[in-house]
């Protein structure tokens, strides 16, 4: 309920500013405004102040400003005369000069951009506690066999360009490298790199990287890399993750980390001499399965210390359980373990995802309960038995410690999805082979920093962030036209609801920022030269200006009707996309 309320508040704010732009411009230009409505008809309540009815509509999506002489679907002269008989014609919108009509139509999108600037300024002025990775351009973990892992790097000469036909100076990006620019665009975070990768399929991108050398000095490199879709994914990637410092949150009892003297708030900087973050460190330690030590360089306050420890080998099921395994309480917990997340899959994806949305709807309509079960763990699975014996957290924890490479028969309860429409409730039994992995017994926590823009820079920062959001929206739009992105990537109200929900859960400043970004998107969308939209009205004004006379009313009527069908079709399509995306997320 809270998420739904936040969604409508965000939507209401966006619509209010948009319609307020039209309203203010109309009033300034002397246009008669009959109604200012937040929400669509029917009217619930409101107040008439002066000549305008300020009201709330029952449908909480959308809003409108009703002006004399302006209809989305043209009406006859007789109907207009009857409706606005008491209003002087010089106050009708269609009787105003073209430049004034253009201002009225453009004012809505303009106010959405103003709203974005105000929201970004609010965040900049108030400050926010954010993960350090949000404003960090360092590379974290790197996926094996990804473009980043196999990229060629060339040292940047003092002048000119590297010889890209020569032998590279290094192979593969590394954890801790800084990405300074992509195709000349300055990079502030790894999220910027990911955005460029999505729009860069089919071409090599020039990536400038800074690497700390053995002498502790930064050295610039140039890397020409083509991002590609990785296995099971649709969009191209370089294969890198943000850098999240290996900040110790908790050290579990009776573990190698505890024995080695690690403490909460320690930051592990290097492992075996290599720069690491939390994810790359966990990956490196997991490979230590042969009683191999790991040398740690740790920052503890202002002090740097060195520790050597040997990871404990346990068996991994490739899943995260609740209650958690390999923890202080696990050995005493008697409840059945439940999967809350999957670390890796034994397959590229579920058969439902591979079948596609039409197959999913076919199953929903036919209530297809004969779909084959999955022979691997999935989120929300509850483990009932291990080798025919009742499963408990303690028993599963003991198994992973005593038999790290065992193959066991698991019986799990797999709950239904959407009351059995998308997946029926079932009980599955299948073999699972544990994979030996090294563990130290560390629970990470996120490094947070307080970010606030200096007062004298608030306005410039807000404008810069709005410009960046606008540029990215236009790049995405261009990519949709050129084929870099597909229509399947479009989203609608459900996507906005999910975005605002996730942002609210992350914090108020995240919600404000996503609202600003959506406002920029709304401004661009409304300026598209499509009938009914503000951009469509502006396009008709341009045609009228070229012809030096109004466009034929019948032609305008047909164009507007076609535009209504087009917008309705687009709305249905994005809703369809939203449902498909939601189903793909719901089905493990």
């Amino acid at each position: 309920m809270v998420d739904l309320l936040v969604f409508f508040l965000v939507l209401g704010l966006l619509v209010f500013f948009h319609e307020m732009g039209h309203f203010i411009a109309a009033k300034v230009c002397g246009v008669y405004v009959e109604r200012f409505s937040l929400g669509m008809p029917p009217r619930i309540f409101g107040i008439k102040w002066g000549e305008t009815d300020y009201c709330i509509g029952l449908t909480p999506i959308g809003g409108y400003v009703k002006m004399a002489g302006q209809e989305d679907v043209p009406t006859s002269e007789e109907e207009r005369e009857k409706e606005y008989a008491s209003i002087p014609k010089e106050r009708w919108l269609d009787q105003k000069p073209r430049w004034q009509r253009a201002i009225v139509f453009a004012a809505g999108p303009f106010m959405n951009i103003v709203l974005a600037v105000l929201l970004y300024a609010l965040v900049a002025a108030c400050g926010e506690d954010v993960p350090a990775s949000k404003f960090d351009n360092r590379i974290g973990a790197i996926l094996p066999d990804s473009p980043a892992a196999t990229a060629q790097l060339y040292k940047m000469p003092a002048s000119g360009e590297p010889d890209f036909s020569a032998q590279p100076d290094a192979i593969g990006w590394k954890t801790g490298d800084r990405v300074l620019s992509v195709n000349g665009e300055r990079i502030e975070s790894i999220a910027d790199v990911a955005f460029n990768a999505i729009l860069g399929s089919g071409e090599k991108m020039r990536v400038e990287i800074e690497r700390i050398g053995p002498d502790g000095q930064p050295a610039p490199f140039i890397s020409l890399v083509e991002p590609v879709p990785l296995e099971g994914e649709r969009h191209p990637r370089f294969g890198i993750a943000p850098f999240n410092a290996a900040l110790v949150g908790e050290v579990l009892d009776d573990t190698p980390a505890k024995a080695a003297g690690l403490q909460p708030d320690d930051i592990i900087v290097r492992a075996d001499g290599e720069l690491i973050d939390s994810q790359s460190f966990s990956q490196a330690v997991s490979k230590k399965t042969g009683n191999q030590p790991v040398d740690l360089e740790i920052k503890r306050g202002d002090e740097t210390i060195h520790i050597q420890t040997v990871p404990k080998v346990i068996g991994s099921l490739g899943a995260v359980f609740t209650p958690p395994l390999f923890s202080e309480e696990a050995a005493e917990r008697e409840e059945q373990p439940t999967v809350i997340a999957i670390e890796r899959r034994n397959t590229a994806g579920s058969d439902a995802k591979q079948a596609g949305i039409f197959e999913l709807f076919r199953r929903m309509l036919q209530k297809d309960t004969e779909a084959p079960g999955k022979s691997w763990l999935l989120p929300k699975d509850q483990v009932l038995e291990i080798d025919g014996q009742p499963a408990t957290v303690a028993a599963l924890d003991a198994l992973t410690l005593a038999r790290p490479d065992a193959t066991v028969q698991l019986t799990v309860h797999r709950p239904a999805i959407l009351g059995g429409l998308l997946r029926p409730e079932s009980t599955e039994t299948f073999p699972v082979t544990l994979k030996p992995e090294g563990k130290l017994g560390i629970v990470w926590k996120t490094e947070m920093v307080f970010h606030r823009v200096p007062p004298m820079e608030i306005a410039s920062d807000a404008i810069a962030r709005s410009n960046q959001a606008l540029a990215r929206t236009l790049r995405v739009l261009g990519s949709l036209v050129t084929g870099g992105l597909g229509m399947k990537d479009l989203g609608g109200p459900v996507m906005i609801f999910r975005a605002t929900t996730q942002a609210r859960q992350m914090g108020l400043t995240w919600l404000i920022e996503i609202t600003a970004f959506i406002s920029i998107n709304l401004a661009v969308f409304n300026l598209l030269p499509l009938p009914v939209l503000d951009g469509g009205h502006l396009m008709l004004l341009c045609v009228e200006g070229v012809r030096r006379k109004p466009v034929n009313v019948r032609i305008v009527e047909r164009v507007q009707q076609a535009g209504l069908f087009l917008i309705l079709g687009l709305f249905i399509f994005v809703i369809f996309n939203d449902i498909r995306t939601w189903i793909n997320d719901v089905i493990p």
Side-chain angles (χ1 to χ4, degrees), residues 7 11 61 490-502 571 574-583 585:
F7 168 70
L11 202 61
I61 296 179
L490 292 177
V494 178
M495 181 180 289
I496 295 175
F497 170 73
R498 297 178 67 184
T500 56
T501 297
Q502 292 174 9
F571 183 76
V574 295
I575 291 290
F576 181 81
N577 266 357
D578 285 344
I579 294 173
R580 181 198 52 157
T581 303
W582 174 75
I583 289 175
D585 289 343

Side-chain angles (χ1 to χ4, degrees), residues 337-361:
T338 300
V339 177
I340 58 173
I342 297 298
E343 295 174 353
R344 58 178 178 271
R345 287 269 176 88
N346 312 32
T347 183
S350 69
D351 62 338
K353 290 184 180 180
Q354 293 166 348
I357 188 69
F358 293 106
E359 175 65 11
L360 288 175
F361 279 120

Side-chain angles (χ1 to χ4, degrees), residues 105-291:
F105 290 129
F110 173 75
M111 283 301 292
N112 279 124
I113 294 175
V114 170
L115 173 61
V117 173
L118 293 175
L119 293 176
Y120 281 130
L122 178 63
V123 172
C126 296
E128 54 181 334
D129 282 311
V130 299
S133 60
K134 183 175 182 180
F135 298 102
D136 195 343
N137 57 2
R138 284 181 295 174
I139 296 171
I142 299 172
L143 290 176
D145 301 321
S146 65
T150 58
Q152 297 180 342
L153 288 89
Y154 296 85
K155 287 184 179 178
M156 189 69 177
S159 62
E161 285 284 290
D163 181 5
F164 295 112
S165 63
Q167 282 291 109
D169 296 294
I171 297 293
W173 300 354
K174 287 186 177 182
T175 298
D177 288 350
R178 290 189 182 276
V179 182
L180 303 181
S181 69
V182 176
N183 282 352
E185 179 182 325
R186 183 169 169 267
I187 296 299
E188 294 183 355
S189 71
I190 296 302
D192 297 338
V193 181
F195 176 81
N196 279 277
I198 290 175
L199 300 184
S201 179
E203 65 176 48
K204 284 193 173 183
M205 309 187 79
R206 179 191 169 94
V207 183
E208 185 179 351
I209 285 177
E210 183 182 84
R211 174 172 294 176
I212 302 298
D215 58 356
Q217 297 300 312
F221 288 84
I222 297 295
S223 185
L224 300 180
V225 190
E226 179 186 347
V228 297
L230 303 180
E231 184 179 2
E233 298 181 355
R234 211 155 41 90
H235 297 304
R237 293 177 57 195
F238 288 118
I240 61 176
F243 187 97
N244 292 292
L247 176 62
V248 178
E250 181 183 356
V251 181
L252 303 179
D253 287 338
D254 194 26
T255 62
K258 193 76 169 182
L262 280 165
Q263 300 175 9
D265 295 323
D266 283 351
I267 299 177
I268 304 175
V269 180
R270 295 177 185 268
D272 292 334
E274 296 289 335
L275 280 170
I276 52 89
D277 75 335
S278 58
Q279 187 177 347
S280 58
F281 177 75
S282 297
Q283 291 173 351
V285 169
S286 70
K287 298 175 183 177
K288 303 272 187 178
T289 57
N291 203 35

